Amino acid sequence: MDKNEILANFQACTGIDDIGQCLVILEEYEWNLQKAVSASLAQGSNGGAVANGRLQERGQASAPIMLTFSCKLGGIAKNITLDDSSTIGDLKEIASIELGIPLSETKFEDWPEECSVSDPPNNAVLSSLNLPHFVSLHVKAQTSVPGITVGLDAPDAADFAVSCSALKWSSEVENLTKMFELQITNKDNNHVQVLSCEGSKTVLELRQEIIGLFDIPYRKQEWNGFPGTNPPDDDQTMASLNLCQPVHKLIVSTTDISLPQPSSPTDSKPTSSLSKYTSDDSSVDGDEPMDVDDDDDIFNNKHFSTKSRSDLMPEQVDDVGGALLQFQSEFSARYGAGPNFVASPLQTAVQAAFGPDARKRKLLAVYIHHDKSIQSNVFCSQLLSRESIISYLNEHYICWPWDVTSNSNRERFLQECKQYMGSGITDTLRKLKKDEFPVLILAQGRGRSCDVTAIIQGNSEVNELMAKLIHAVEAAEEQKQLDIKEEDARKAREGIKLEQEEAYRQSLEADRAKMLVEQEAILKQEEEERQKKKEEDEKHEAAEQLKNQLPAEPKPDCGSPISQVRFRAPDGSTFMRSFLASESLQTLVNFVGSKGFSSNEYRILKPWPKTNLLALDLSASLESHKIFPQETLIIEEKPDFDS
């Protein structure tokens, strides 16, 4: 259970509305909920007395139960945690935001068997459905298009039809979770920044991030490098842009087009900061229909009957980026300079503040404005516009604004607040009356984890506000240093792992190269052996042919002159053979060849006088070459086979 849930449960048990008092008590007991509640009630404090009264009114009702829903759409799964006092409609709104599909097209399937209703309606309260603490649901995006019937997530896809936008989303759903590398060059100063963006990131979110990176206002950004229109529509995702892989290069520069001037008040007369909230002849308790309900709650859905100036935000926000740009422009027109408010969805602000790089993390400052609160004018003009406050906020915080004057905008913010800050903070804001605004929420965290450390109300003084801002930064610094050490240790481990993997890869390469050399040597040896055997076979075949051509050796009693010849081989061995004296020298050469001494490689020498018989007339008889009646001949290798 995180601190936001502990805070909500503590308030529910004790009935203490002062969140500062709750934080003090919980810190004293190290956020042990049971000890803090017991001590608060035992001491008989004001909070305990109120808690006892409320518990009696509720019939000793227990604290809300937290339920976790795993909502799956295609290849995407999002975990959403709600208390059991929420409704199915609340779950659908959060799921539609998380999964990026229209609320009207969101439908849940595969409810667990123990659920008391197979298809609960939007107004069904979770506590009435007998649900387990963890629920796994499948989500379908359902709408109809004539002639098309497609399902995004189920085998019975023919049971429902999908809109063209849903079909486009289905084709990109696999890319929404991919990471795209963007190399962005600031043409003004040639500064290059490489960003890693999820496929679900929109062009608007990218353009808002460029404001912080290159200090180029949204409306002055000129883009080059996007496929097609530069820049694309703000609501397009990275996955839909056909970006180059692995890195897509973009160029941004500053145009000469100035931001449009915000609309001026209808009354051109100079007015004081307080008179901006009243008509010419009326005060706060005049004729305008301010919040007249007894509880004077911020959720009163009433508006001014007349307006003397432009709204900070449209009464019903459809385009978050455009609405926040209007907030920036109107804030500057009313109060002068202010903090660098992020003009992108809260999710982007959370990611910018609590990003993966611990050294770059900042705190998150969420400014909640209510135009009907008299304190809003003072807080903005006297505190948020003060140079020291602005400088400190810009250095240590990511600032994100919202206006809850409109009922629809208030509901939208509370849903996002519950998602990122928990139901405890949401319930605290829900109880605030309009004159208790504005509110500045300070939070720290990492990733999507958001821990609210302070809620500053509009009645604070300058020194008090600065002290709380500094205290929040100092309190977060210790955790930040721990995160940096942990991140450095993780990077060191990853570095060692990469070095080991590289060494292993090089070892494999060396082994592979060595094996290739050995294989080549084996193949070469085998080839030489094959060639040698071939040559030997050829020699043997040639010797056999010569042997077959030789006449029979004459017998001693044949009656014809016979020449007895002794041959001395290169290895020193000897052998003899008888020839007819009338036989040609070629017959003798063929006999030597049949013994394996080819005339191409060997020569036959007569020792005296030393004569190479192969150089003589081979057709002449042995007797004519004086190889008669007997002779000894020497066989030796030729000094040069080519000669």
Side-chain angles (χ1 to χ4, degrees):
M1 184 182 299
D2 61 23
K3 290 184 178 181
N4 294 332
E5 295 178 9
I6 294 174
L7 176 61
N9 292 337
F10 180 79
Q11 285 184 299
C13 293
T14 63
I16 301 176
D17 292 332
D18 188 344
I19 195 169
Q21 182 182 354
C22 293
L23 291 174
V24 169
I25 297 173
L26 288 169
E27 288 287 352
E28 180 180 355
Y29 291 95
E30 299 181 349
W31 291 86
N32 187 309
L33 178 61
Q34 183 176 359
K35 291 182 179 179
V37 172
S38 300
S40 178
L41 297 178
Q43 291 172 4
S45 62
N46 178 59
V50 174
N52 289 335
R54 291 193 177 181
L55 286 174
Q56 291 174 1
E57 291 175 3
R58 297 180 182 178
Q60 303 296 328
S62 60
I65 298 174
M66 304 307 294
L67 304 177
T68 299
F69 296 85
S70 176
C71 300
K72 301 176 182 178
L73 176 60
I76 299 176
K78 297 290 184 179
N79 287 342
I80 301 171
T81 302
L82 296 172
D83 62 66
D84 62 354
S85 63
S86 304
T87 64
I88 295 297
D90 296 333
L91 177 60
K92 282 188 176 181
E93 289 185 17
I94 297 175
S96 68
I97 295 172
E98 284 284 346
L99 298 172
I101 57 178
L103 176 61
S104 60
E105 300 181 8
T106 303
K107 180 182 179 182
F108 296 122
E109 288 191 343
D110 298 336
W111 288 94
E113 295 180 358
E114 54 265 41
C115 180
S116 58
V117 181
S118 60
D119 186 13
N122 289 345
N123 60 355
V125 180
L126 300 179
S127 60
S128 66
L129 299 178
N130 192 30
L131 294 171
H133 289 283
F134 183 85
V135 182
S136 179
L137 297 174
H138 281 81
V139 182
K140 282 191 175 182
Q142 178 174 338
T143 185
S144 59
V145 174
I148 301 178
T149 304
V150 179
L152 296 181
D153 189 45
D156 54 346
D159 294 340
F160 59 89
V162 183
S163 65
C164 293
S165 62
L167 285 172
K168 181 180 179 182
W169 185 93
S170 176
S171 66
E172 298 171 0
V173 66
E174 187 174 349
N175 288 332
L176 290 176
T177 55
K178 285 186 178 179
M179 298 300 295
F180 293 86
E181 295 290 330
L182 301 180
Q183 179 180 313
I184 304 176
T185 302
N186 183 355
K187 192 176 180 181
D188 300 338
N189 55 16
N190 291 326
H191 179 68
V192 178
Q193 185 76 34
V194 177
L195 300 179
S196 294
C197 303
E198 279 192 355
S200 59
K201 187 169 188 174
T202 64
V203 174
L204 174 62
E205 293 171 352
L206 174 63
R207 296 184 68 178
Q208 294 306 326
E209 192 167 350
I210 291 301
I211 296 175
L213 288 176
F214 295 142
D215 196 24
I216 303 178
Y218 174 87
R219 296 185 183 276
K220 291 190 176 183
Q221 295 175 14
E222 182 175 357
W223 289 86
N224 284 292
F226 282 110
T229 306
N230 283 277
D233 294 338
D234 283 351
D235 59 352
Q236 286 188 255
T237 62
M238 297 296 108
S240 67
L241 296 179
N242 293 324
L243 299 176
C244 297
Q245 293 285 354
V247 179
H248 189 91
K249 296 182 179 180
L250 297 172
I251 299 175
V252 63
S253 59
T254 306
T255 66
D256 295 331
I257 302 174
S258 300
L259 283 169
Q261 296 297 323
S263 55
S264 59
T266 55
D267 188 358
S268 61
K269 296 179 182 181
T271 60
S272 67
S273 60
L274 179 60
S275 64
K276 291 183 179 182
Y277 287 87
T278 62
S279 60
D280 293 340
D281 56 355
S282 63
S283 61
V284 175
D285 57 352
D287 297 333
E288 289 189 7
M290 300 287 284
D291 296 328
V292 296
D293 288 354
D294 293 337
D295 59 358
D296 198 24
D297 191 86
I298 68 165
F299 306 120
N300 224 319
N301 191 21
K302 295 190 169 40
H303 309 281
F304 291 105
S305 58
T306 60
K307 296 181 181 178
S308 59
R309 56 186 172 181
S310 299
D311 292 331
L312 280 174
M313 291 175 64
E315 292 186 357
Q316 185 169 355
V317 173
D318 295 321
D319 177 10
V320 174
L324 293 177
L325 286 173
Q326 178 177 325
F327 188 103
Q328 290 179 347
S329 178
E330 181 61 21
F331 187 95
S332 300
R334 291 188 189 183
Y335 312 114
N340 293 334
F341 290 121
V342 176
S344 55
L346 180 57
Q347 178 184 4
T348 303
V350 170
Q351 292 173 347
F354 311 146
D357 189 345
R359 285 181 170 80
K360 295 181 180 180
R361 283 182 199 145
K362 294 185 176 183
L363 276 73
L364 178 66
V366 179
Y367 172 65
I368 319 282
H369 186 89
H370 197 300
D371 237 352
K372 294 182 181 179
S373 171
I374 194 66
Q375 291 187 124
S376 294
N377 184 67
V378 177
F379 188 82
C380 293
S381 60
Q382 301 300 321
L383 278 75
L384 277 189
S385 298
R386 187 175 291 267
E387 184 177 350
S388 59
I389 300 293
I390 294 174
S391 176
Y392 196 79
L393 281 171
N394 290 341
E395 181 178 359
H396 298 285
Y397 290 83
I398 296 294
C399 301
W400 188 83
W402 196 260
D403 183 5
V404 295
T405 308
S406 158
N407 183 58
S408 63
N409 291 344
R410 176 264 305 167
E411 288 294 341
R412 181 169 187 156
F413 171 74
L414 289 178
Q415 289 295 336
E416 292 198 1
C417 181
K418 181 182 290 187
Q419 180 180 351
Y420 292 104
M421 301 180 189
S423 57
I425 300 301
T426 305
D427 292 340
T428 299
L429 295 175
R430 190 182 298 276
K431 295 174 184 177
L432 293 180
K433 299 179 181 180
K434 79 173 192 316
D435 286 335
E436 294 177 299
F437 280 85
V439 167
L440 187 65
I441 302 175
L442 307 182
Q444 68 181 71
R446 61 178 178 177
R448 293 192 54 166
S449 173
C450 185
D451 185 11
V452 174
T453 58
I455 297 180
I456 303 173
Q457 293 185 264
N459 56 1
S460 302
E461 296 181 353
V462 174
N463 293 337
E464 180 185 2
L465 174 59
M466 179 60 79
K468 290 182 178 179
L469 292 175
I470 294 174
H471 176 73
V473 171
E474 291 176 347
E477 185 63 25
E478 181 179 355
Q479 182 61 46
K480 181 177 180 180
Q481 293 304 319
L482 291 176
D483 291 343
I484 290 175
K485 290 181 180 179
E486 180 182 338
E487 185 174 296
D488 289 345
R490 177 181 55 78
K491 289 182 178 179
R493 291 193 300 270
E494 291 177 351
I496 293 173
K497 183 180 179 182
L498 289 175
E499 290 177 0
Q500 292 174 341
E501 290 176 350
E502 178 62 19
Y504 180 67
R505 186 191 65 79
Q506 292 179 358
S507 175
L508 287 179
E509 290 292 336
D511 291 344
R512 188 178 293 110
K514 182 178 179 181
M515 183 175 66
L516 289 175
V517 171
E518 292 176 352
Q519 289 177 346
E520 289 177 357
I522 292 173
L523 292 175
K524 183 178 180 181
Q525 182 179 357
E526 291 176 350
E527 179 62 26
E528 290 176 351
E529 291 177 354
R530 282 195 299 270
Q531 185 65 29
K532 184 177 180 180
K533 186 176 184 303
K534 179 181 178 182
E535 292 175 356
E536 290 177 352
D537 291 343
E538 290 177 351
K539 288 181 181 180
H540 180 72
E541 183 179 353
E544 287 295 325
Q545 289 179 355
L546 291 175
K547 185 176 181 179
N548 294 332
Q549 294 175 5
L550 290 174
E553 183 176 3
K555 295 181 179 181
D557 56 354
C558 65
S560 298
I562 296 175
S563 177
Q564 294 286 338
V565 182
R566 181 188 297 271
F567 298 92
R568 183 177 296 164
D571 61 358
S573 61
T574 60
F575 56 91
M576 294 184 62
R577 212 294 192 165
S578 298
F579 298 91
L580 292 175
S582 60
E583 288 181 326
S584 66
L585 181 59
Q586 181 68 56
T587 303
L588 184 144
V589 171
N590 289 345
F591 170 74
V592 173
S594 68
K595 292 294 184 177
F597 302 104
S598 171
S599 60
N600 295 327
E601 300 177 12
Y602 297 88
R603 62 183 181 178
I604 305 171
L605 300 177
K606 185 177 181 182
W608 182 261
K610 189 174 183 178
T611 306
N612 182 5
L613 299 182
L614 296 178
L616 302 178
D617 183 6
L618 300 181
S619 62
S621 67
L622 297 178
E623 185 177 4
S624 65
H625 286 301
K626 298 182 179 181
I627 306 174
F628 178 78
Q630 59 185 18
E631 187 64 72
T632 298
L633 300 177
I634 301 171
I635 303 171
E636 65 177 24
E637 292 184 9
K638 287 184 178 180
D640 185 0
F641 291 164
D642 295 331
S643 61

Short mmCIF file of all heavy atoms in Angstrom, two decimals, residues 486-502:
data_model
loop_
_atom_site.label_atom_id
_atom_site.label_comp_id
_atom_site.label_asym_id
_atom_site.label_seq_id
_atom_site.Cartn_x
_atom_site.Cartn_y
_atom_site.Cartn_z
N GLU A 486 21.78 3.64 -7.16
CA GLU A 486 21.21 2.40 -7.68
C GLU A 486 21.32 2.34 -9.20
O GLU A 486 21.66 1.30 -9.78
CB GLU A 486 19.73 2.31 -7.27
CG GLU A 486 19.03 1.05 -7.76
CD GLU A 486 17.56 1.03 -7.36
OE1 GLU A 486 17.19 1.72 -6.40
OE2 GLU A 486 16.80 0.31 -8.03
N GLU A 487 21.07 3.49 -9.85
CA GLU A 487 21.16 3.54 -11.31
C GLU A 487 22.60 3.35 -11.77
O GLU A 487 22.87 2.63 -12.74
CB GLU A 487 20.62 4.87 -11.81
CG GLU A 487 20.54 4.98 -13.32
CD GLU A 487 19.86 6.27 -13.76
OE1 GLU A 487 18.67 6.43 -13.47
OE2 GLU A 487 20.55 7.09 -14.39
N ASP A 488 23.56 4.00 -11.06
CA ASP A 488 24.97 3.84 -11.41
C ASP A 488 25.41 2.39 -11.24
O ASP A 488 26.16 1.85 -12.06
CB ASP A 488 25.83 4.76 -10.55
CG ASP A 488 25.67 6.23 -10.91
OD1 ASP A 488 25.12 6.49 -11.99
OD2 ASP A 488 26.06 7.10 -10.11
N ALA A 489 24.95 1.77 -10.12
CA ALA A 489 25.30 0.37 -9.89
C ALA A 489 24.71 -0.52 -10.99
O ALA A 489 25.37 -1.45 -11.48
CB ALA A 489 24.79 -0.07 -8.52
N ARG A 490 23.47 -0.22 -11.38
CA ARG A 490 22.85 -1.00 -12.45
C ARG A 490 23.61 -0.82 -13.77
O ARG A 490 23.86 -1.80 -14.49
CB ARG A 490 21.39 -0.58 -12.63
CG ARG A 490 20.68 -1.28 -13.77
CD ARG A 490 19.25 -0.81 -13.90
NE ARG A 490 19.15 0.62 -14.05
CZ ARG A 490 19.39 1.27 -15.20
NH1 ARG A 490 19.75 0.59 -16.28
NH2 ARG A 490 19.27 2.57 -15.26
N LYS A 491 23.99 0.44 -14.07
CA LYS A 491 24.75 0.68 -15.30
C LYS A 491 26.10 -0.01 -15.25
O LYS A 491 26.58 -0.52 -16.27
CB LYS A 491 24.92 2.18 -15.52
CG LYS A 491 23.64 2.90 -15.91
CD LYS A 491 23.89 4.38 -16.16
CE LYS A 491 22.61 5.09 -16.60
NZ LYS A 491 22.83 6.54 -16.82
N ALA A 492 26.73 0.00 -14.03
CA ALA A 492 28.02 -0.68 -13.90
C ALA A 492 27.86 -2.17 -14.16
O ALA A 492 28.67 -2.80 -14.84
CB ALA A 492 28.61 -0.43 -12.52
N ARG A 493 26.77 -2.75 -13.58
CA ARG A 493 26.51 -4.18 -13.81
C ARG A 493 26.26 -4.45 -15.29
O ARG A 493 26.76 -5.44 -15.85
CB ARG A 493 25.31 -4.64 -12.98
CG ARG A 493 25.56 -4.67 -11.48
CD ARG A 493 24.45 -5.43 -10.77
NE ARG A 493 23.15 -4.82 -10.98
CZ ARG A 493 22.63 -3.89 -10.20
NH1 ARG A 493 23.31 -3.45 -9.15
NH2 ARG A 493 21.42 -3.40 -10.44
N GLU A 494 25.50 -3.55 -15.91
CA GLU A 494 25.22 -3.73 -17.33
C GLU A 494 26.50 -3.59 -18.15
O GLU A 494 26.70 -4.30 -19.15
CB GLU A 494 24.18 -2.72 -17.79
CG GLU A 494 22.79 -2.99 -17.23
CD GLU A 494 21.79 -1.92 -17.65
OE1 GLU A 494 22.23 -0.90 -18.24
OE2 GLU A 494 20.58 -2.10 -17.37
N GLY A 495 27.39 -2.64 -17.71
CA GLY A 495 28.66 -2.46 -18.41
C GLY A 495 29.52 -3.70 -18.32
O GLY A 495 30.13 -4.14 -19.31
N ILE A 496 29.59 -4.28 -17.09
CA ILE A 496 30.35 -5.51 -16.91
C ILE A 496 29.77 -6.64 -17.77
O ILE A 496 30.49 -7.41 -18.41
CB ILE A 496 30.38 -5.91 -15.43
CG1 ILE A 496 31.19 -4.87 -14.62
CG2 ILE A 496 30.98 -7.30 -15.24
CD1 ILE A 496 31.14 -5.08 -13.13
N LYS A 497 28.45 -6.69 -17.76
CA LYS A 497 27.78 -7.73 -18.55
C LYS A 497 28.08 -7.56 -20.03
O LYS A 497 28.36 -8.54 -20.75
CB LYS A 497 26.28 -7.67 -18.30
CG LYS A 497 25.49 -8.75 -19.03
CD LYS A 497 24.01 -8.64 -18.73
CE LYS A 497 23.22 -9.70 -19.49
NZ LYS A 497 21.76 -9.58 -19.23
N LEU A 498 28.07 -6.29 -20.49
CA LEU A 498 28.36 -6.03 -21.90
C LEU A 498 29.81 -6.39 -22.22
O LEU A 498 30.10 -6.95 -23.29
CB LEU A 498 28.09 -4.56 -22.23
CG LEU A 498 26.63 -4.13 -22.27
CD1 LEU A 498 26.52 -2.63 -22.50
CD2 LEU A 498 25.87 -4.87 -23.36
N GLU A 499 30.73 -6.06 -21.27
CA GLU A 499 32.13 -6.41 -21.49
C GLU A 499 32.31 -7.93 -21.56
O GLU A 499 33.05 -8.44 -22.41
CB GLU A 499 32.99 -5.83 -20.36
CG GLU A 499 33.12 -4.31 -20.39
CD GLU A 499 33.92 -3.79 -19.22
OE1 GLU A 499 34.36 -4.62 -18.40
OE2 GLU A 499 34.11 -2.56 -19.13
N GLN A 500 31.62 -8.63 -20.66
CA GLN A 500 31.70 -10.09 -20.68
C GLN A 500 31.13 -10.65 -21.97
O GLN A 500 31.70 -11.58 -22.56
CB GLN A 500 30.97 -10.67 -19.46
CG GLN A 500 31.64 -10.36 -18.13
CD GLN A 500 30.82 -10.82 -16.95
OE1 GLN A 500 29.61 -11.06 -17.07
NE2 GLN A 500 31.45 -10.95 -15.80
N GLU A 501 30.01 -10.08 -22.38
CA GLU A 501 29.41 -10.54 -23.63
C GLU A 501 30.33 -10.26 -24.82
O GLU A 501 30.44 -11.08 -25.74
CB GLU A 501 28.05 -9.88 -23.83
CG GLU A 501 26.98 -10.36 -22.86
CD GLU A 501 25.68 -9.61 -23.03
OE1 GLU A 501 25.67 -8.61 -23.76
OE2 GLU A 501 24.67 -10.03 -22.42
N GLU A 502 31.00 -9.08 -24.79
CA GLU A 502 31.91 -8.74 -25.88
C GLU A 502 33.12 -9.67 -25.87
O GLU A 502 33.57 -10.14 -26.93
CB GLU A 502 32.37 -7.28 -25.75
CG GLU A 502 33.36 -6.83 -26.80
CD GLU A 502 32.80 -6.88 -28.21
OE1 GLU A 502 31.56 -6.93 -28.36
OE2 GLU A 502 33.60 -6.90 -29.16
#
